[in-house]
Every structure is written in structure tokens, then in C-alpha cells.
């Protein structure tokens, strides 16, 4: 049993390896030192306060306590406690009875202390190895020490005790907020007084240690940020045979006679429950060998557990040690000579010395790991200590401290005895848990506002359906908030389209000018495009910036500004946007060397336009980030044509103006004929679909179909969604360019989700639930929380570290907990957006199914937009919601790879061909009636276009 320094250093190294093994995701299952995560992520920081109940079960004494933490802000803790016995029939009986007994003791304590009426949270110190996935849970891995109640191993002791309390005749209304191991309670207790304390050691009935480990080393728990306390359960060190070379016959004999043979082998060489027994077995062997007591063997010496650790401690006392030894041996019915007593003392010393040495070796391994984790040459730390053996054995602490300092000379270790047991520490953990729980409740209250029930989503679907019908009907159309705008696109391309077309794609994230070459037959389209920026001052032209009217010389006007303009400033503004567009077209034509080409142009204009024909579109109102004045109520094709005329550099034949949803539907329809819906989930939110002409009362004719641009962004502008609109939605709307408008869009589209998140974060910070209650200037800045950050923050692959980095970039200094909350807020906002999209889409596909009288409808939806494309979960949640709310529709979602520019070109091609066909027909008729050529244009104009399209279909 004499362990040399080399052996101790070797045991220290072995234990370091065991710790590594226990922390590893793959190696943990076979590790004997389990390194159990405790979900205690920080030591007390003095902000803990409140009143708590605490149970301390598993050590030599069972205690129930009431703990008052820092009344009136003073960092002090008041405790009242009551001990209760732990009879063997309880701790080795039936598990249910054990927890009923604990509940009885708790009830007795609460009755005595008149606490029955108070709903106090409870912290449970449970000194056995428990697997936890959260603070308020603990699945018992195995009993140790004196406990062996049946039916408890493998179960969650928190829910077992909670059930026992609920079933108790006094129905104890107590919430267990935290289960902590006694080592953790001890560390927290000592850390309350000494913030250097980051290790807790118990050397009592049993032995164990915990310490603060870096999250990045704890593979069993998600997240790499900060630290978490690990309960090493070092008592099991060697259960895999790692210590066979130092275990003696006495250790083996003791283990065989224990309640849990083969288990806790390290503990059985160290802790108070076993030390006395080891001494007994050694004395028995020596007596049998005639080396002691004249070979006398008293029956007492044969009785297991007859010699207890308190006896060993007594025998090792400096002065009265010998007298104590004589007295104890006499009590054991042994005639002991002077020499026998000295020898027995010596045996005690050897046994207890080995215990201290082994403890020191394992503790030294932990201290080395802390020093290495912190990358320090010298570690200064404090170890919180508790346990009867450590407290009552006269020599033990000194020996332990000495050996630890010998084994880790590069650590300045303070050993701090926990005066008030581990329950004070448990109360701290409970205080933190209760604060976190209270905060959690407040956060959940906010998140719940974004959690839509199935009923609510069905409500949204049905309300959307009503609005769709409302918009289609002639007499309700003018008031409809879902405008249901006819687009004069009546059919899908049939593959005969061919030619070169220019396309403009305005209104999404990027403004694109495209050249689209369509080759018929093989349905192949080649596209060349250039992305141009639309400066904010043009998007929201308010006139001041550029006084173009005063004839600024071209060389001085930055490229994208108009060169000539008519008198009257205001007009200049609309000019600005369209002149800028024309400038970009000019650049593109230059770049493509197409200056002279008189190409047909399809104009994707992603805003609500009332159309009278395929090439006429009056802007009803701006949405998203646009607010250029003097455009609303104007025909955008005319404005573009005028701008082209003003530039007088090239001429284009603007054949069609289409909405980006229509362009998207067409782009996808070119590949999949079932595609009859176009959906944009991008900066803005909108959907179009092919409607039966008979349902479109605004346009003549009942044959065939026409695409309707629903402009569902306006859904709810009549207040029909106010039941699910939150204060944050109202704040975003009030801060937007078009308050009161596009409410559905403002709850669902990319331009606004980030703003909703920002409003929520501001509110949570005001409530002190985030960023330590500090609202930074950045957080007050509108638009900083771009939607792309949501997509990044919500990506599963992203560790919390990266979330913090993103928040850092936004100038938001956050803790690990903050990052988790931000991620949740982003998730709640984007989930609601996707579900609302799903409800809206379910309404339209259900309508299509019913309109066509189908049992089941198979339909494809063409989708585009950065939110749908880039967000990690949006598309999945949207699809699941449609499946849920329109179960009789089999909806295929087809991502539009090439953007709506292609669709616009296809529509232009169709329109162009029909224009052609119309001209030919006219010629044919002319010939038939030999009428004058010059009236041709008039003839065309008069001829309602719709019919021509029909021809095609
Ligand atoms: C006192 C602590 C308790 C712990 C005990 C260990 O309050 O949580 O279990 O120390 O020492 P023992 O009583 O087993 O000697
Ligand atoms: C790409 C399309 C464009 C549309 C945009 C919407 O080509 O017409 O406006 O998607 O997505 P966003 O760019 O707004 O995310
Ligand atoms: C248990 C530990 C406990 C230690 C000290 C051991 O038997 O497994 O969980 O910390 O005793 O009480
Ligand atoms: C516009 C729609 C457009 C949608 C997606 C909305 O703001 O009103 O016309 O389709 O954004 O870009």
C-alpha cells in the first residue's frame, strides 16, 4: 500500500487519460470515469438571490434545508436545516418508498417551518452518479456507498421525487429546479466566497470531484462556448482494471463483500465508508497470521464494517491516538499489547495515507488539466473540500495538500473547506436556475406570440381564401386588399418561342438587365445578364440630392444620372429611376455590343401594377425599399419608353411588363407544364397563379385561363390578421416606408424578418433578458439585422461561437446564453413566416383543386427569392405547412434557377409571336378587304388582345 512518487505520477497520468476518454463522444460509453456534464455553466456571480428549499441526500446524513440567498442584496446566505435518518430498509428497499420517504421528510420540514403555503423552488443535492441532459433532470447510473434501493437505476430521480411529492397527501407543490452532485454543490458553496474556486472534492462516505471544463472539450454537450462543470465520478476509476497493479488482496476482499462488487474500486481504496473496513481486513489477516493480539481473533474483528473511519481517525490522532487505539481494540474485544496498538496505528496510517495519496494523484490530474486548458504556466486556483473523512481525520488534509503540491508544483492551490455543506452551493445553482427559468418564461412568452397553432394557420388559410375570392369579384375588387391583378398572360410557352429578347428584372435584391436567347424546339434558353445597383437615393428619390434640372454637364454627372430633363423639378425624380434604368440598359447593350439591335424587351417589374394589357402596367403603389416619387399611378411602360426616348441612343420594343411571380411561374412552366403558380419569397412576398377566366370578373370572357398576380402582400391590410399580429409587427410597420400597407408581406418577407427580430431583441434587452440589459446603438439602428443574418444564425451547422461572431459583427457583445436566445428568436420569426406562406399557398392550391372539381390536385409551384433559397429551414417548413393545410393537393416546389428574367423573355416571345400573328391576320384580312395600310396600328389597338392569345392556346 505504499505508493512511491513515481507510482503516484503514473496514477496521475492514468487518470488524465481516463478524463480524456470520458469527455470523448465515442470513448465515453466504455470509459469508467464517466465525466458527467452537470449543466452548471458558471460559478455564482453574486446576483443570485431568493428563497429555496434544498435536499441533501447521499452523504452520511440526509438533510432538508431552507436557504435564503442574499437578502436585501447583501451577499449572505441564511440557512435553516433539519437532519433525517436514512434507515437501511429505506435506502436498500424499494425505490418508490425511498422517494415517498424523502417527500415525507420534506413535508415534515415544511410543516415545521410553516413553508407549506410558499411555492419555493427546490435544489436537490443527490450524491450519486447521474446522467443529465439538463439541470432539472438526473438519470441514476448506479447506486454507490450505502444505497441500493430497487428500481431506481436508469430512471430520472427528479421525476421520481416530483411524482412522490405530487402524490404526497399534502400534495407538495414544489418544483425541483436543479439536481446537483454534492461535489458541484461544494464547489459552488466555496466559489460564493472565493471566485477562484473551480474544483469541488468530496472525501466523505464516498469520494468524488468536479471541476469547470471548457465546453469545447465536452463533446457530449452541444456548443463550444464558455465552460461547464463536469462531475468526474472518479470513484469508478479502475473499474476497467486500470488500477489492478496497485490494488491489494484487502481491496479485493473488501470489494467482494461490498454492495456493489467490481464497482467504485478507486472509491473503495479512499473513502470513509471503506477505510475502516480495510483496516479491519488487514488486522484480521495479521491476527490470523499471529502477528497481532497474540493471534487472538475476536468475533468483532470478523464483523464487516466493525471498524469505521471514525475509529481510524481517532487512532491517528497525534496525542491521544494510542489511547484511542487501545480503547477501540478493547471495544472490539481484543487484548492488545502496547506493540499491537502501535502496529494498529501504523496500519491505519498506511491505509489512510494511501487514501490521501490516491486522492492527491487524481486531484493533481484535474489541476493539470485546468492549467493546460487555460494555457497557463502557473495555475492559481481554489479547491472546495467537504466530506467527513477530510473533515474529521486529523492528518488527512495536511497529507493531501502536501502530496498535491508535490505532484503539481506549478499550481498554487488553496484548499477551502465548505463550512455549510453543499446545499448552499446547491441553492446558488437553484438561484441561477430560477433566474434562468424566470427569464426563460419571459422569453417563451415572447416566442409564444410567434408560435401559430394549427387552428390559427387554418384561420389564415381560410381568410386568404376569402380575400382571393373578394379580389376576383368585380364589385368587391376595388376594396380588396389582396388585389388579384389580371396579368394578361393566358398561356404557357409551348416551346415554339424563339429569338433574342432583352429583359429587365427590377424589384428584387438585384436589378438585372438580361439578354435572353430562346431556341425553339429544344427548349433551350441562353442568358447573359448584368447586375446593376439601384442607389438608395434613386430608389427613394426625394429630389434634394440631385438637382439634375440645372443642366449639370454630363462629365460631372455621375454615370447614372439623367443628362437632359424637362422643366419642373418633381418630374425629374421619376425620371431619375427610369433614366437610371435606361442608363443601365445602355451600359448592358454596350457591354454586349448590341447598341443598334432593336430588340423586344420584357420588363419584370416586381411591384403591384394594374394592367390593361400585356404591355401596360400602372404602378398602384411602391412596396419594399422603393419610394421614388411621381411613379405611383403612372404607367411604368410609358415611363420607361419616355426615358428611352429621352436618352435617344437606342430604341427598344417594350412588349411586356410582368410581375416577378409571373416571370418565375413562366420560367418554371417552361420545364414543367404543371407549374401554374409562381411564388416569391424574397425581399418581398407575393404569389400568382393561373385562374379560370370565368372567375376573373374584371376581364371579359369565360374561356381558358389568365394568370392573376394576387399581390397577397397586402393580405391583412384590412385588419383580418390583427389577431396574430404582434407589437413587434406593428413596430416594424410603423417604421417602414409604407405603414399600414403590405402587412402580410411585413410578417413574411426577407425585407422585414430581420427588423422583426431586431424589435424583439430590443424588447428582450429592455426586459434585461439579453445583452446584460444594455441596448447598444447598433441594436437601435434600423435594418442592421439583415435577413441574411437570420439564415446564417439559424444554420444547424453553425456553432454558438459563430452566432456570437455574427452578433459581434453587428456590434452586439453577447454571452453564450444570449446567442442561444437570439437563435431561438430568429427561428420563431422565420418559422412563422414560412408557416404563413404555407397557409396562403394552401388557400390557392385548394381553390384550384375545388375550381377544377378534382379529388386530388397535382400542381407545381415555381419559386424564387433569397429567403426561400438561402434560409436553412424556410422552404422545408413552408412545404410541410402546405401539406398539412392542403392535404388533397400534391404540391411540387420547383426552384427557379434562372430568375424571372427568363420567364419575362418567354412571355415577351409569346406576346411577340402573337403580335406577329395578329399582324399577319390583319394583313390577310386587309388583302381580303384591301384596306389602307396606315390604319394598321389603330386596327391592332382596337382588337382586344385576349382573343389572340386564345388562338394560341
Ligand atoms: C456534506 C455535504 C453533502 C455531502 C457530504 C459528503 O453537504 O452534500 O454528500 O458532505 O460527506 P459525507 O457526509 O459523505 O462524509
Ligand atoms: C429573383 C427573380 C426576381 C425576383 C427575386 C426575388 O429573378 O425577379 O424579384 O428573385 O427575390 P429577392 O431577390 O427579392 O430575394
Ligand atoms: C458518488 C458521487 C458522490 C461521492 C461523494 C460517490 O459514491 O458516486 O456522486 O459525489 O460519492 O458523496
Ligand atoms: C410586390 C410584388 C412582388 C413581391 C416579390 C412585393 O412587395 O408587391 O409585386 O411580386 O414583392 O418581389
Amino acid at each position: 500500500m505504499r505508493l512511491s512518487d513515481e507510482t503516484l505520477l503514473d496514477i496521475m497520468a492514468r487518470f488524465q487519460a481516463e478524463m480524456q476518454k470520458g469527455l470523448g463522444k465515442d470513448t465515453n460509453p466504455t470509459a469508467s470515469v464517466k465525466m458527467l456534464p452537470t449543466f452548471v455553466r458558471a460559478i455564482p456571480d453574486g446576483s443570485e438571490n431568493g428563497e429555496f428549499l434544498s435536499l441533501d441526500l447521499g452523504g452520511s446524513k440526509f438533510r432538508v434545508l431552507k436557504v435564503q440567498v442574499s437578502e436585501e442584496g447583501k451577499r449572505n446566505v441564511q440557512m435553516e436545516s433539519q437532519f433525517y435518518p436514512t434507515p437501511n430498509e429505506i435506502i436498500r428497499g424499494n425505490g418508490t418508498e425511498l422517494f415517498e420517504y424523502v417527500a415525507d421528510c420534506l413535508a415534515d420540514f415544511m410543516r415545521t417551518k410553516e413553508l407549506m403555503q410558499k411555492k419555493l423552488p427546490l435544489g436537490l443535492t443527490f450524491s450519486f452518479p447521474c446522467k443529465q441532459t439538463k439541470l432539472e433532470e438526473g438519470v441514476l447510473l448506479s447506486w454507490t456507498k450505502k444505497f441500493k434501493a430497487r428500481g431506481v437505476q436508469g430512471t430520472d430521480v427528479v421525476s421520481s421525487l416530483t411524482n412522490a411529492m405530487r402524490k404526497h397527501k399534502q400534495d407538495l407543490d414544489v418544483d425541483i429546479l436543479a439536481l446537483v452532485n454534492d461535489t458541484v454543490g461544494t464547489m459552488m458553496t466555496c466559489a460564493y466566497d472565493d471566485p477562484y474556486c473551480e474544483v469541488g472534492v468530496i472525501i466523505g462516505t464516498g469520494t468524488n470531484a468536479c471541476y469547470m471544463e471548457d465546453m469545447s472539450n465536452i463533446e457530449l454537450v452541444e456548443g463550444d462556448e464558455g465552460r461547464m462543470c463536469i462531475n468526474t465520478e472518479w470513484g469508478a476509476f479502475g473499474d476497467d482494471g486500470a488500477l489492478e497493479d496497485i490494488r491489494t488482496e484487502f481491496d479485493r476482499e473488501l470489494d467482494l463483500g461490498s454492495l456493489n462488487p467490481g464497482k467504485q474500486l478507486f472509491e473503495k481504496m479512499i473513502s470513509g465508508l471503506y477505510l475502516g473496513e480495510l483496516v479491519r481486513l488487514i488486522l484480521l489477516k495479521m491476527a490470523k497470521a499471529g502477528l497481532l493480539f497474540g493471534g487472538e481473533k475476536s468475533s468483532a474483528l470478523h464483523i464487516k464494517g466493525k471498524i469505521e473511519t471514525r475509529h481510524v481517525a481517532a487512532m491517528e490522532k497525534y496525542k491521544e491516538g494510542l489511547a484511542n487505539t487501545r480503547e477501540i481494540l478493547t471495544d472490539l474485544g481484543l487484548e492488545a499489547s502496547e506493540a499491537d496498538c502501535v502496529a494498529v496505528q501504523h496500519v491505519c496510517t498506511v491505509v489512510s495515507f494511501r487514501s490521501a495519496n490516491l486522492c492527491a494523484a487524481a486531484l493533481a490530474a484535474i489541476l493539470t488539466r485546468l492549467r493546460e486548458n487555460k494555457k497557463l504556466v502557473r495555475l492559481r486556483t481554489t479547491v472546495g473540500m467537504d466530506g467527513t473523512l477530510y473533515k474529521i481525520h486529523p492528518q488527512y488534509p495536511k497529507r493531501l495538500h502536501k502530496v498535491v503540491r508535490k505532484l503539481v508544483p506549478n499550481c498554487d492551490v488553496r484548499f477551502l473547506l465548505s463550512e455549510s455543506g453543499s446545499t448552499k452551493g446547491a441553492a446558488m445553482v437553484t438561484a441561477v436556475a430560477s433566474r434562468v427559468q424566470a427569464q426563460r418564461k419571459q422569453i417563451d412568452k415572447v416566442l409564444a406570440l410567434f408560435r401559430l397553432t394549427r387552428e390559427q394557420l387554418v384561420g389564415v388559410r381560410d381568410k386568404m381564401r376569402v380575400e382571393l375570392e373578394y379580389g376576383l369579384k368585380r364589385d368587391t375588387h376595388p376594396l380588396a386588399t389582396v388585389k388579384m391583378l389580371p396579368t394578361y398572360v393566358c398561356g404557357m410557352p409551348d416551346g415554339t418561342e424563339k429569338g433574342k429578347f432583352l429583359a429587365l428584372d427590377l424589384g428584387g435584391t438585384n436589378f438585372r438587365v438580361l439578354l435572353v436567347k430562346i431556341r425553339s424546339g429544344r427548349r433551350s434558353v441562353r442568358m447573359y445578364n448584368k447586375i446593376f445597383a439601384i442607389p438608395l437615393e434613386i430608389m427613394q428619390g426625394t429630389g434634394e440630392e440631385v438637382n439634375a434640372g440645372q443642366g449639370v454637364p454630363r462629365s460631372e454627372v455621375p454615370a447614372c444620372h439623367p443628362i437632359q430633363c424637362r422643366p419642373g423639378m418633381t418630374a425629374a425624380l421619376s425620371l431619375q429611376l427610369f433614366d437610371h434604368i435606361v442608363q443601365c440598359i445602355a451600359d448592358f447593350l454596350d457591354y454586349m455590343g448590341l447598341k443598334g439591335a432593336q430588340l423586344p424587351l420584357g420588363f419584370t417589374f416586381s411591384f403591384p401594377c394594374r394592367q390593361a394589357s400585356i404591355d401596360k402596367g400602372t404602378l398602384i403603389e411602391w412596396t419594399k425599399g422603393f419610394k421614388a416619387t411621381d411613379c405611383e399611378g403612372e404607367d411604368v411602360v410609358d415611363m420607361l419608353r419616355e426615358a428611352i426616348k429621352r436618352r435617344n441612343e437606342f430604341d427598344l420594343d417594350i412588349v411586356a411588363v410582368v410581375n416577378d411571380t409571373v416571370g418565375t411561374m413562366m420560367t418554371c412552366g417552361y420545364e414543367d407544364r404543371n407549374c401554374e403558380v409562381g411564388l416569391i419569397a424574397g425581399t418581398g412576398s407575393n404569389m400568382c397563379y393561373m385562374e379560370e377566366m370565368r372567375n376573373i370578373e374584371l376581364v371579359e370572357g369565360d374561356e381558358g385561363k389568365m394568370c392573376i398576380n394576387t399581390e397577397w402582400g397586402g393580405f391583412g391590410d384590412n385588419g383580418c390578421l390583427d389577431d396574430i399580429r404582434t407589437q413587434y409587427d406593428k413596430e416594424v410597420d410603423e417604421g417602414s416606408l409604407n405603414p399600414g400597407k403590405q402587412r402580410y408581406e411585413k410578417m413574411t418577407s426577407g425585407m422585414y424578418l430581420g427588423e422583426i427580430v431586431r424589435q424583439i431583441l430590443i424588447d428582450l434587452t429592455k426586459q434585461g433578458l439579453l445583452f446584460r440589459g444594455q441596448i447598444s446603438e447598433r441594436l437601435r439602428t434600423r435594418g442592421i439585422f439583415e435577413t441574411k443574418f437570420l439564415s446564417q444564425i439559424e444554420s444547424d451547422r453553425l456553432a454558438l461561437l459563430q452566432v456570437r461572431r455574427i452578433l459581434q459583427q453587428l456590434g452586439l457583445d453577447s454571452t453564450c446564453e444570449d446567442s442561444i436566445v437570439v437563435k431561438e428568436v430568429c427561428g420563431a420569426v422565420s418559422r412563422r413566416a414560412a408557416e404563413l406562406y404555407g397557409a396562403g399557398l394552401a388557400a390557392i392550391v385548394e381553390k384550384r383543386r375545388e375550381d377544377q372539381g378534382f379529388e386530388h390536385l397535382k400542381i407545381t409551384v415555381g419559386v424564387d427569392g433569397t429567403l426561400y433559397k438561402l434560409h436553412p429551414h424556410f422552404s422545408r417548413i413552408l412545404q410541410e405547412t402546405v401539406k398539412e393545410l392542403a392535404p388533397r393537393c400534391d404540391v411540387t416546389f420547383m426552384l427557379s434557377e434562372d430568375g424571372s428574367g427568363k420567364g419575362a423573355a418567354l412571355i415577351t416571345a409569346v406576346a411577340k409571336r402573337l403580335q406577329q400573328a395578329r399582324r399577319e391576320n390583319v394583313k390577310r384580312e386587309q388583302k381580303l378587304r384591301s384596306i389602307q395600310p396606315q390604319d394598321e396600328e389603330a386596327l391592332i389597338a382596337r382588337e382586344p388582345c385576349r382573343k389572340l392569345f386564345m388562338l394560341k392556346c
Side-chain angles (χ1 to χ4, degrees):
M1 288 192 166
R2 277 186 219 290
L3 302 176
S4 66
D5 292 357
E6 285 62 48
T7 304
L8 291 177
L9 284 169
D10 177 13
I11 292 168
M12 180 176 149
R14 290 184 215 177
F15 190 68
Q16 281 175 285
E18 287 299 326
M19 287 200 286
Q20 192 52 42
K21 204 169 164 207
L23 287 170
K25 193 185 217 20
D26 312 330
T27 49
N28 174 274
T30 56
S32 51
V33 177
K34 285 295 179 197
M35 305 299 276
L36 302 169
T38 67
F39 293 85
V40 171
R41 294 173 184 269
I43 58 177
D45 63 4
S47 65
E48 297 76 16
N49 67 60
E51 202 176 14
F52 310 93
L53 283 170
S54 187
L55 288 177
D56 184 355
L57 181 65
S60 54
K61 300 188 188 59
F62 168 37
R63 273 191 309 170
V64 180
L65 306 92
K66 178 176 84 79
V67 183
Q68 174 66 50
V69 177
S70 59
E71 240 152 341
E72 295 98 39
K74 293 196 299 311
R75 262 174 78 91
N76 69 1
V77 175
Q78 308 305 326
M79 296 198 313
E80 295 166 56
S81 69
Q82 175 65 40
F83 285 99
Y84 292 88
T86 52
N88 273 353
E89 61 278 9
I90 291 288
I91 64 174
R92 293 192 196 155
N94 170 316
T96 313
E97 281 147 19
L98 167 64
F99 290 110
E100 281 161 0
Y101 172 75
V102 171
D104 286 344
C105 299
L106 180 60
D108 171 70
F109 180 81
M110 291 170 78
R111 225 184 357 267
T112 324
K113 305 287 181 193
E114 284 112 29
L115 295 172
M116 273 303 179
Q117 306 331 319
K118 285 187 174 188
K119 187 167 171 20
L120 292 179
L122 182 138
L124 168 62
T125 301
F126 188 71
S127 315
F128 300 95
C130 285
K131 198 165 191 46
Q132 295 182 267
T133 60
K134 55 188 175 187
L135 204 50
E136 63 280 17
E137 174 207 63
V139 173
L140 175 64
L141 292 177
S142 58
W143 284 121
T144 64
K145 293 171 282 190
K146 300 176 187 166
F147 281 65
K148 204 168 181 39
R150 292 184 303 283
V152 182
Q153 286 178 196
T155 65
D156 172 13
V157 291
V158 170
S159 51
S160 305
L161 181 55
T162 304
N163 296 344
M165 291 192 293
R166 295 283 178 276
K167 284 211 296 296
H168 195 277
K169 48 189 175 300
Q170 267 115 11
D171 182 12
L172 305 174
D173 184 8
V174 171
D175 267 345
I176 301 177
L177 285 191
L179 175 146
V180 293
N181 185 263
D182 55 353
T183 53
V184 180
T186 299
M187 179 191 75
M188 293 294 268
T189 296
C190 297
Y192 194 61
D193 302 326
D194 175 344
Y196 274 94
C197 182
E198 52 193 345
V199 179
V201 173
I202 295 281
I203 307 173
T205 313
T207 182
N208 187 15
C210 71
Y211 71 102
M212 293 305 284
E213 175 61 82
D214 294 352
M215 279 297 289
S216 53
N217 296 331
I218 304 175
E219 293 175 7
L220 292 170
V221 178
E222 205 244 319
D224 298 342
E225 264 318 291
R227 302 198 295 172
M228 179 183 282
C229 180
I230 289 289
N231 164 14
T232 66
E233 284 297 337
W234 72 12
F237 180 25
D239 284 13
D240 60 352
L243 296 175
E244 281 318 303
D245 58 334
I246 62 164
R247 289 186 61 225
T248 65
E249 64 180 283
F250 305 107
D251 299 309
R252 293 192 177 84
E253 190 175 347
L254 175 149
D255 175 46
L256 288 173
S258 71
L259 277 179
N260 53 349
K263 297 268 186 202
Q264 303 290 101
L265 298 182
F266 191 60
E267 173 165 84
K268 287 169 181 168
M269 290 193 275
I270 292 174
S271 75
L273 183 59
Y274 307 104
L275 230 52
E277 181 61 6
L278 280 171
V279 169
R280 182 188 71 81
L281 291 171
I282 295 165
L283 296 183
L284 181 59
K285 171 137 183 176
M286 288 179 173
K288 280 184 187 156
L291 302 172
L292 283 178
F293 324 122
E296 267 312 302
K297 291 186 287 300
S298 74
S299 59
L301 205 49
H302 284 74
I303 298 172
K304 194 191 309 196
K306 196 63 183 158
I307 296 180
E308 296 177 26
T309 297
R310 61 188 168 80
H311 298 132
V312 176
M315 291 192 266
E316 288 198 62
K317 284 208 182 330
Y318 268 135
K319 293 188 214 1
E320 59 283 343
L322 206 53
N324 290 344
T325 305
R326 184 180 302 289
E327 186 199 327
I328 288 167
L329 291 175
T330 311
D331 294 351
L332 289 171
L334 289 166
E335 295 308 316
S337 63
E338 181 65 20
D340 288 338
C341 291
V342 173
V344 169
Q345 270 193 310
H346 192 51
V347 169
C348 291
T349 301
V350 169
V351 171
S352 62
F353 214 118
R354 180 183 72 164
S355 164
N357 281 342
L358 288 171
C359 237
L363 180 53
I366 290 175
L367 296 171
T368 302
R369 189 173 177 87
L370 278 172
R371 184 179 56 74
E372 287 165 356
N373 283 354
K374 297 180 183 203
K375 301 190 179 37
L376 294 174
V377 175
R378 276 204 81 70
L379 170 74
R380 171 177 169 196
T381 191
T382 296
V383 176
M385 299 296 300
D386 203 339
T388 325
L389 173 53
Y390 181 84
K391 279 195 283 196
I392 66 162
H393 189 293
Q395 323 295 345
Y396 204 102
K398 187 158 72 348
R399 288 174 187 161
L400 175 74
H401 304 170
K402 187 160 154 297
V403 178
V404 168
R405 289 182 179 125
K406 187 171 65 181
L407 291 174
V408 282
N410 43 17
C411 294
D412 303 337
V413 186
R414 177 189 178 207
F415 289 88
L416 178 56
L417 182 60
S418 153
E419 292 309 337
S420 51
S422 63
T423 41
K424 180 174 160 189
M428 297 301 152
V429 174
T430 311
V432 173
S434 135
R435 190 189 66 212
V436 169
Q437 192 191 49
Q439 287 174 339
R440 185 70 248 165
K441 279 209 175 64
Q442 286 169 286
I443 292 167
D444 284 346
K445 219 161 67 238
V446 170
L447 295 177
L449 296 171
F450 288 82
R451 212 162 287 138
L452 300 177
T453 64
R454 190 174 188 296
E455 285 57 41
Q456 285 174 311
L457 286 171
V458 167
V460 171
R461 178 198 66 195
D462 298 347
K463 284 177 194 158
M464 175 67 93
R465 178 64 184 274
V466 170
E467 295 297 321
L468 295 174
E469 303 291 355
Y470 213 59
L472 285 172
K473 299 271 179 295
R474 178 180 298 283
D475 31 344
T476 50
H477 177 81
L479 312 166
T481 54
V482 177
K483 300 182 184 60
M484 306 302 277
L485 304 169
T487 66
Y488 291 85
V489 171
C490 297
M492 307 306 264
D494 63 0
T496 61
E497 299 72 26
K498 67 181 179 310
K500 265 197 281 189
F501 304 89
L502 263 184
L504 299 181
D505 187 349
L506 176 71
T509 314
N510 304 310
F511 167 50
R512 264 190 280 241
V513 179
L514 307 92
L515 172 67
V516 182
K517 293 186 182 156
I518 304 175
R519 262 197 281 281
S520 70
R522 289 198 304 286
R523 287 182 174 278
S524 73
V525 174
R526 301 252 308 227
M527 294 170 22
Y528 309 86
N529 72 77
K530 210 160 179 293
I531 293 181
F532 294 87
I534 306 257
L536 196 61
E537 66 272 10
I538 290 206
M539 262 177 159
Q540 299 166 8
T542 54
E544 296 86 10
E545 297 92 353
V546 286
N547 48 8
Q550 278 107 29
V552 176
R554 180 157 170 59
S555 57
E556 272 165 29
V557 173
C560 66
H561 280 309
I563 46 180
Q564 330 148 333
C565 59
R566 281 188 234 121
M569 183 59 78
T570 52
L573 306 166
S574 62
L575 293 184
Q576 254 183 15
L577 172 60
F578 283 86
D579 286 289
H580 175 75
I581 291 172
V582 171
Q583 165 69 42
C584 299
I585 296 173
D587 286 5
F588 180 75
L589 292 175
D590 267 348
Y591 170 77
M592 294 297 288
L594 290 168
K595 253 294 171 359
Q598 217 257 350
L599 290 171
L601 176 129
F603 184 8
T604 300
F605 184 75
S606 311
F607 301 92
C609 283
R610 194 173 302 290
Q611 292 188 256
S613 69
I614 191 72
D615 62 350
K616 283 193 184 332
T618 304
L619 172 62
I620 298 169
E621 66 206 340
W622 284 119
T623 62
K624 290 173 279 189
F626 279 71
K627 199 93 193 100
T629 54
D630 297 294
C631 293
E632 288 171 338
E634 299 294 328
D635 182 300
V636 293
V637 175
D638 291 346
M639 286 193 277
L640 183 57
R641 282 197 179 115
E642 277 147 27
I644 292 171
K645 272 211 191 58
R646 251 192 319 280
R647 185 163 183 97
N648 191 19
E649 234 185 75
F650 51 82
D651 187 15
L652 291 176
D653 169 12
I654 303 174
V655 173
V657 59
V658 297
N659 184 263
D660 56 351
T661 54
V662 182
T664 299
M665 181 187 75
M666 207 50 103
T667 297
C668 298
Y670 197 55
E671 312 296 332
D672 175 340
R673 300 197 59 64
N674 276 337
C675 181
E676 294 201 338
V677 175
L679 184 71
I680 294 288
T683 314
S685 161
N686 191 14
M687 179 273 292
C688 75
Y689 72 106
M690 294 305 285
E691 176 55 274
E692 310 297 334
M693 278 299 286
R694 66 176 180 277
N695 296 338
I696 305 174
E697 295 181 359
L698 288 178
V699 179
E700 290 303 310
D702 296 342
E703 289 311 311
K705 303 177 189 164
M706 175 184 282
C707 178
I708 291 292
N709 165 14
T710 65
E711 286 296 337
W712 74 4
F715 177 37
D717 288 7
N718 57 1
C720 73
L721 288 179
D722 287 357
D723 60 328
I724 61 172
R725 278 185 83 218
T726 67
Q727 75 202 64
Y728 311 106
D729 295 310
K730 295 188 176 89
E731 277 147 9
V732 168
D733 180 41
E734 275 136 25
S736 72
L737 286 177
N738 52 351
K741 296 283 183 162
Q742 301 291 96
R743 292 188 186 178
Y744 183 65
E745 174 164 83
K746 285 172 185 164
M747 295 164 82
T748 57
S749 81
M751 174 151 191
Y752 304 101
L753 297 186
E755 269 303 283
I756 298 171
V757 167
R758 188 175 68 86
Q759 293 296 343
I760 296 170
L761 297 183
I762 287 176
D763 179 37
L764 291 176
T765 307
K766 277 189 192 136
Q767 295 178 43
L769 301 172
L770 266 182
F771 310 125
R772 289 178 265 277
Q774 317 298 331
I775 298 195
S776 68
E777 208 36 49
R778 295 282 280 166
L779 195 52
R780 290 181 201 287
T781 315
R782 197 181 300 288
I784 65 150
F785 217 101
E786 289 169 51
T787 298
K788 72 172 185 246
F789 292 128
L790 262 75
S791 298
Q792 287 165 9
I793 286 172
E794 285 186 63
S795 135
D796 300 343
R797 281 191 322 283
L798 211 56
L800 288 176
L801 175 61
Q802 276 103 348
V803 174
R804 285 190 63 190
R805 205 159 293 145
I806 292 171
L807 292 174
Q808 235 122 45
Q809 278 160 9
L810 290 172
L812 302 172
D813 194 13
S814 66
T815 65
C816 161
E817 279 75 19
D818 290 339
S819 320
I820 295 174
V821 173
V822 170
K823 193 165 180 170
E824 282 182 293
V825 169
C826 293
V829 171
S830 63
R831 168 170 278 278
R832 182 189 71 166
E835 287 174 339
L836 285 173
Y837 253 92
L841 195 54
I844 196 67
V845 294
E846 262 302 289
K847 178 182 183 329
R848 289 300 298 142
R849 183 186 64 77
E850 287 166 17
D851 283 358
Q852 297 169 79
F854 291 164
E855 235 350 85
H856 272 296
L857 171 70
K858 191 169 164 14
I859 189 164
T860 297
V861 173
V863 188
D864 206 336
T866 43
L867 182 56
Y868 188 94
K869 281 182 174 171
L870 302 182
H871 190 282
H873 309 301
F874 187 91
S875 55
R876 175 180 49 80
I877 295 169
L878 184 154
Q879 293 174 17
E880 285 163 359
T881 307
V882 172
K883 210 187 282 303
E884 172 74 17
L885 298 180
R888 297 164 69 176
C889 299
D890 168 2
V891 182
T892 301
F893 287 81
M894 182 176 180
L895 208 50
S896 159
E897 300 304 343
D898 311 316
S900 66
K902 175 176 169 182
L906 288 163
I907 290 168
T908 309
V910 173
K912 194 85 191 104
R913 191 185 70 243
L914 293 167
Q915 217 176 40
Q916 226 69 346
R918 217 178 17 258
R919 284 218 177 79
E920 273 137 30
N921 284 339
V922 169
K923 284 208 194 67
R924 226 191 338 270
E925 266 147 31
Q926 257 171 355
K927 267 199 269 338
L928 294 174
R929 290 187 244 117
S930 64
I931 295 169
Q932 292 319 308
Q934 77 286 357
D935 296 346
E936 184 185 303
E937 276 309 327
L939 194 62
I940 292 177
R942 242 193 341 276
E943 177 63 46
C945 68
R946 159 182 67 76
K947 229 184 340 303
L948 287 173
F949 260 98
M950 279 290 297
L951 273 175
K952 167 79 204 100
C953 318

